[in-house]
Amino acid sequence: LAPDNAGGEYLALAQSLSVLSPQLNSILKRRQEEKVAQDEAKGQKLYHEQGERLSWEDYRKSVPTLPGLNDSVRNGFLKARMANEANVFRTALNDAYASGDATVELPDGTRITVAESDDPAVFNLWLNRFTREYIRDNIGDTADPEYFVKEFIPQVEAAGQELGSKHVSERNSILWSRNIAEHRSLVAGTLGTLVRDGGVDLNEANVLSSAEYISKVLRDMTTSGVPSRVAREAIVDALVVAANNPDIDNGENLFELAHHIKLADGSSLWNTDNTAKDLTSAAQNVSQQRHYRENERRREDREREEQERIAL
């Protein structure tokens, strides 16, 4: 059913009086704009209260005698419908991705879970298919073209971009974690060669060779995609973990390497970000833990000696 277009009296009156009074014409046009806004709000309210995701045509069939309908009410209804469909789409899209239902079948029959794929083509293929199928199954040809383009499509594109960014971020985080773990293992192995007879044995030769190797590991991490800051933090963490080994009497001496580990621009790791502050604090902690362990050993020795004396 077509709108009855009630409510255009201000515009018609303004047009007839425009040559007589520009000021009156302005007032009438403003009132017409206010009336349009009110009617659009009424249409949006009708949709949310009674529309239940209906098209305008189906809604009019369900309430054929509803008075006061016009183009503005209809436009408000259509706008609300497309905005709501976009919200439903966003929820359905994210739910499908998170549930594992997001899959793509390759030509050879292999099925890939989109959330586990690092290939952007796989994500885009699924997103485009999901969007087409959603429109087909939920909107079909009942959408008003104007509001479909103005309200629905921009929000659908935004939802796809947001999920795509989230997907890339999560995949990068997983790849970085694997990358960092592998490189930290290399650093740990190098640091292990500096420990002899329960202590850190540093001399000019092994300091320089170890620092040069760790510098290369740091550069490899950054060139393989790990952000520079994250790579630097991984090296610092590896030094701190190695220094906290309870079997080492002077683990904090490993931090000397930070002065000689070089970044791509030639600066030392020690002088980058908060490394100096963090390692100085870590050195104090390592020393405190060592003193605590020594005190505990002395206490245990005294208790054992006392127990042996009592036994005698």
Side-chain angles (χ1 to χ4, degrees):
L1 295 177
D4 57 28
N5 290 320
E9 63 274 8
Y10 290 119
L11 182 59
L13 184 58
Q15 291 172 345
S16 65
L17 298 179
S18 61
V19 296
L20 300 179
S21 174
Q23 183 177 6
L24 179 60
N25 183 48
S26 176
I27 294 173
L28 293 174
K29 282 187 176 180
R30 185 171 64 252
R31 290 183 178 176
Q32 174 63 20
E33 291 171 354
E34 293 172 353
K35 183 66 167 60
V36 167
Q38 292 172 358
D39 287 344
E40 286 192 356
K42 176 182 177 181
Q44 293 175 354
K45 184 178 180 181
L46 288 176
Y47 176 81
H48 290 299
E49 291 182 349
Q50 305 175 32
E52 298 181 353
R53 299 182 70 188
L54 294 175
S55 67
W56 173 254
E57 290 74 15
D58 289 339
Y59 172 71
R60 291 293 287 115
K61 291 176 183 177
S62 68
V63 286
T65 61
L66 189 67
L69 299 184
N70 56 39
D71 285 338
S72 298
V73 174
R74 170 182 175 274
N75 291 343
F77 185 98
L78 296 175
K79 183 184 296 186
R81 182 195 178 202
M82 287 298 96
N84 182 65
E85 286 295 341
N87 287 332
V88 175
F89 169 86
R90 182 188 298 272
T91 300
L93 179 72
N94 286 283
D95 287 349
Y97 177 86
S99 68
D101 291 340
T103 60
V104 170
E105 185 173 341
L106 301 181
D108 63 1
T110 303
R111 186 165 293 278
I112 300 176
T113 300
V114 175
E116 299 175 358
S117 174
D118 300 319
D119 187 350
V122 170
F123 177 86
N124 290 331
L125 181 63
W126 170 76
L127 175 62
N128 292 334
R129 187 191 69 200
F130 183 92
T131 303
R132 289 195 306 270
E133 292 178 353
Y134 180 90
I135 293 173
R136 180 197 66 196
D137 297 339
N138 294 273
I139 299 176
D141 57 359
T142 67
D144 178 82
E146 177 183 2
Y147 289 100
F148 180 79
V149 173
K150 290 168 59 176
E151 294 292 334
F152 182 77
I153 292 300
Q155 294 188 59
V156 164
E157 291 177 345
Q161 291 170 359
E162 290 170 7
L163 182 58
S165 297
K166 176 185 175 182
H167 173 72
V168 170
S169 177
E170 291 179 349
R171 294 310 305 170
N172 282 341
S173 178
I174 292 173
L175 293 176
W176 294 346
S177 297
R178 293 174 182 169
N179 191 317
I180 290 170
E182 292 171 357
H183 285 89
R184 282 188 59 165
S185 178
L186 296 176
V187 172
T190 297
L191 297 177
T193 64
L194 301 176
V195 179
R196 294 185 181 87
D197 300 325
V200 176
D201 179 21
L202 296 180
N203 57 53
E204 183 176 359
N206 62 25
V207 165
L208 293 179
S209 62
S210 296
E212 182 179 359
Y213 179 77
I214 296 174
S215 299
K216 179 180 181 302
V217 172
L218 177 58
R219 290 193 296 273
D220 287 346
M221 266 197 288
T222 56
T223 56
S224 63
V226 178
S228 299
R229 178 185 58 79
V230 177
R232 292 193 298 269
E233 291 174 352
I235 298 298
V236 172
D237 288 344
L239 290 170
V240 172
V241 169
N244 276 284
N245 185 338
D247 297 328
I248 302 177
D249 291 333
N250 58 336
E252 66 269 27
N253 287 5
L254 288 172
F255 299 155
E256 172 66 20
L257 292 172
H259 293 280
H260 305 280
I261 296 172
K262 300 297 182 181
L263 277 58
D265 62 3
S267 61
S268 74
L269 178 62
W270 181 269
N271 293 324
T272 305
D273 300 330
N274 295 318
T275 300
K277 177 181 177 181
D278 292 343
L279 290 183
T280 299
S281 176
Q284 295 173 349
N285 183 64
V286 170
S287 178
Q288 291 172 356
Q289 291 298 319
R290 181 169 60 252
H291 291 318
Y292 173 78
R293 290 194 297 271
E294 291 173 352
N295 289 335
E296 282 295 295
R297 282 197 295 268
R298 284 195 291 268
R299 182 184 63 79
E300 291 172 356
D301 289 343
R302 287 195 300 269
E303 289 181 352
R304 185 173 56 255
E305 291 173 356
E306 179 64 16
Q307 290 174 354
E308 291 175 351
R309 186 187 66 78
I310 292 174
L312 293 174

